[in-house]
Amino acid sequence: MSLITTVGVDADDTLWHCESLFRLTHKRFVELLSDFGDEERINSQLAVAEKRNLRVYGYGAKGFTLSMIETALDLTDGAVSTRVIREILAVGREMLTEPVEPLPGVERALAELSKRYRLILITKGDLLHQEQKLAASGLGDLFAAVEIVSEKDAGTYRRVFERYGTGAEQGLMAGNSMRSDILPALEAGAWGALIPYPLVWAHEAAEAPQNHPRYVELASIGELPAFVDHVSRS
């Protein structure tokens, strides 16, 4: 039996752009509230709201929009205008309806992997929005299964690789987040392949493991099929 039978792949910022859209929306939010504080204060207040609300709203554009509205109310002591609230709702809606286009090399890499391994999409975020993005991407047929989860931890990866594969020891998780895609997968006993994205949300940042035998950083997703094949032949 090959060393890897099942390959998990992250969605946002691994298969298509996401963080860059959040950054643009964040910038527009700061501009909308510029009369009520400088950029540092607004960013700090929003970061606190986001962190607090993750346990309630989860990850994704809808939770981010609610955190922006809450921050606007807090910064202005409830005096924020209806116009600004409408603007925040509008930019949140734009995030939810933004066209989805796979990043370079994604479709080819997934097509190669799907021929030889069980390919599973493992992503966090709002269920409806993630389903919509996957459908819009045109990549859905390449996956044997899709798991949209509230959090990615070692237990998540053990469960997913047991359900769809032959256990975490014969599974590999690929994605751009060290905190969510790599470290918990390694803890579960799987392989972890980091595919860097230029922008990383502070909440997803973490130090890379040192000299871990099952960790690799690839230059792009295009290198993933060859790496998985190499491990499986070892």
Side-chain angles (χ1 to χ4, degrees), residues 91-113:
V91 296
R93 190 176 296 110
E94 287 176 16
M95 295 179 73
L96 292 167
T97 56
E98 184 74 11
V100 176
E101 184 175 343
L103 292 166
V106 163
E107 187 171 2
R108 181 175 180 179
L110 296 185
E112 288 185 38
L113 288 164

Side-chain angles (χ1 to χ4, degrees), residues 135-225:
S137 73
L139 302 172
D141 290 343
L142 296 172
F143 292 98
V146 175
E147 284 280 328
I148 301 172
V149 299
S150 58
E151 192 59 83
K152 292 178 177 177
D153 54 27
T156 299
Y157 290 114
R158 291 191 189 100
R159 174 178 58 80
V160 171
F161 286 128
E162 283 288 345
R163 176 179 294 177
Y164 301 108
T166 52
E169 290 189 358
Q170 293 183 317
L172 177 143
M173 182 62 190
N176 72 295
S177 170
M178 184 63 68
R179 179 184 178 275
S180 293
D181 299 323
I182 305 305
L183 296 181
L186 295 176
E187 182 184 347
W191 293 78
L194 182 71
I195 301 171
Y197 185 79
L199 303 175
V200 178
W201 183 27
H203 184 74
E204 296 294 343
E207 292 293 325
Q210 297 298 313
N211 302 316
H212 195 291
R214 289 193 160 212
Y215 167 69
V216 66
E217 180 176 331
L218 304 176
S220 71
I221 197 169
E223 295 183 354
L224 185 59

Side-chain angles (χ1 to χ4, degrees), residues 6-84:
T6 312
V7 177
V9 182
D10 173 53
D12 294 337
D13 294 327
T14 299
L15 302 184
W16 48 69
H17 292 290
C18 180
E19 181 61 22
S20 55
L21 182 58
F22 273 82
R23 297 285 180 98
L24 288 172
T25 304
H26 194 152
K27 181 179 178 181
R28 290 174 67 180
F29 175 69
V30 170
E31 292 170 352
L32 283 171
L33 292 182
S34 59
D35 290 341
F36 299 96
D38 58 24
E39 184 174 357
E40 183 177 355
R41 183 188 177 201
I42 296 170
N43 287 341
S44 176
Q45 193 90 355
L46 180 58
V48 170
E50 281 188 275
K51 186 176 181 179
R52 180 177 61 246
N53 290 335
L54 279 177
R55 292 172 293 178
V56 180
Y57 304 141
Y59 296 86
K62 292 178 184 177
F64 184 57
T65 301
L66 290 170
S67 291
M68 286 192 291
I69 292 173
E70 183 177 316
T71 300
L73 291 167
D74 288 343
L75 280 171
T76 65
D77 292 325
V80 62
S81 68
T82 303
R83 179 191 64 80
V84 170

